[in-house]
Amino acid sequence: GLKPDLITFNTILDALYSNSKFDDGEKMWSRMVSNNVVPDIRTYNARLTGLVSQGRIVEAVDLFGQLGIKEIKVDVFSYCALLNGYCKEGNLEEVKRWYRELVANECVPNKVVYWTVVSFACEKGDYDWAFQLCQDIFKRKCIVDIILLQRVVDGLVKESKIAKAKQVVQMGKSNGFKQYMLKLPSEE
């Protein structure tokens, strides 16, 4: 006899959309609307994730745009969904564009965002951007996995960008929030 509320629907929608049960998620979304439960940013983020998991990035971008019209403030998770979508598509320029928009809109990148964009930059061989992202990581005092930073160092060395590699190693050793024991490949 209990009536589902926003928290109930958000929990169910998140589970459905993130487990590739998009059609079931859409049915639940309709049920939520018919119960006069108004979606919030968590609800929309679940739907964004579902669209991206289905490879429907154009629809996800459209939904993202609708949030502003509905006066729902997007958050880092909204951007993360789009970043993941463009990474899946292999579109480096769109990943860069959405990362810039995330920062410009004063959303603070988190560990997941950095893992996504730095890994993708390395995968695409854009170690200059990966280096810039590392600078941003240290500026924002975000704690990330050392494997991610070491991957950038190794890639920079491989591309003979030794000075930048040394800078990342130095940032890892000298920052005031987390000591990273990074090594240049010649130090191993």
Side-chain angles (χ1 to χ4, degrees):
L2 297 176
K3 187 174 181 181
D5 62 5
L6 182 61
I7 294 170
T8 307
F9 281 111
N10 280 347
T11 303
I12 295 168
L13 287 169
D14 185 55
L16 293 171
Y17 285 131
S18 59
N19 287 300
S20 299
K21 297 188 184 278
F22 188 81
D23 292 337
D24 292 334
E26 291 297 280
K27 289 175 188 170
M28 188 58 64
W29 186 283
S30 295
R31 184 173 172 191
M32 177 186 69
V33 171
S34 69
N35 282 332
N36 295 316
V37 176
V38 179
D40 66 1
I41 191 58
R42 290 194 62 180
T43 321
Y44 282 103
N45 285 344
R47 196 173 202 188
L48 284 168
T49 298
L51 287 166
V52 166
S53 74
Q54 296 290 303
R56 296 161 67 172
I57 189 71
V58 172
E59 291 175 67
V61 170
D62 184 53
L63 179 60
F64 186 95
Q66 290 175 27
L67 296 177
I69 295 166
K70 296 178 183 200
E71 297 183 8
I72 296 175
K73 184 168 172 44
V74 296
D75 62 15
V76 70
F77 302 103
S78 313
Y79 283 103
C80 198
L82 295 182
L83 289 167
N84 282 325
Y86 282 113
C87 285
K88 280 176 139 179
E89 285 192 347
N91 192 331
L92 182 61
E93 291 310 311
E94 284 297 312
V95 172
K96 287 181 174 183
R97 184 175 84 78
W98 283 101
Y99 178 79
R100 284 191 305 269
E101 186 169 320
L102 176 151
V103 172
N105 284 312
E106 300 178 2
C107 285
V108 179
N110 61 21
K111 180 179 183 172
V112 174
V113 168
Y114 282 124
W115 180 269
T116 301
V117 295
V118 174
S119 294
F120 188 66
C122 291
E123 178 184 313
K124 289 298 186 178
D126 192 341
Y127 289 100
D128 289 326
W129 189 44
F131 172 74
Q132 292 171 2
L133 292 166
C134 286
Q135 290 176 310
D136 197 36
I137 287 167
F138 288 108
K139 184 179 99 182
R140 293 180 185 277
K141 299 180 179 177
C142 184
I143 296 174
V144 297
D145 195 320
I146 190 171
I147 295 168
L148 184 67
L149 299 173
Q150 189 64 56
R151 184 173 180 194
V152 175
V153 170
D154 295 345
L156 289 167
V157 168
K158 193 173 190 177
E159 290 196 345
S160 300
K161 297 176 180 179
I162 308 302
K164 287 182 177 180
K166 286 181 177 178
Q167 278 184 272
V168 175
V169 170
Q170 185 57 36
M171 287 186 286
K173 290 179 181 175
S174 64
N175 70 75
F177 62 96
K178 168 84 169 124
Q179 297 298 305
Y180 295 96
M181 302 310 292
L182 300 167
K183 294 183 180 196
L184 294 171
S186 62
E187 295 176 350
E188 293 176 358

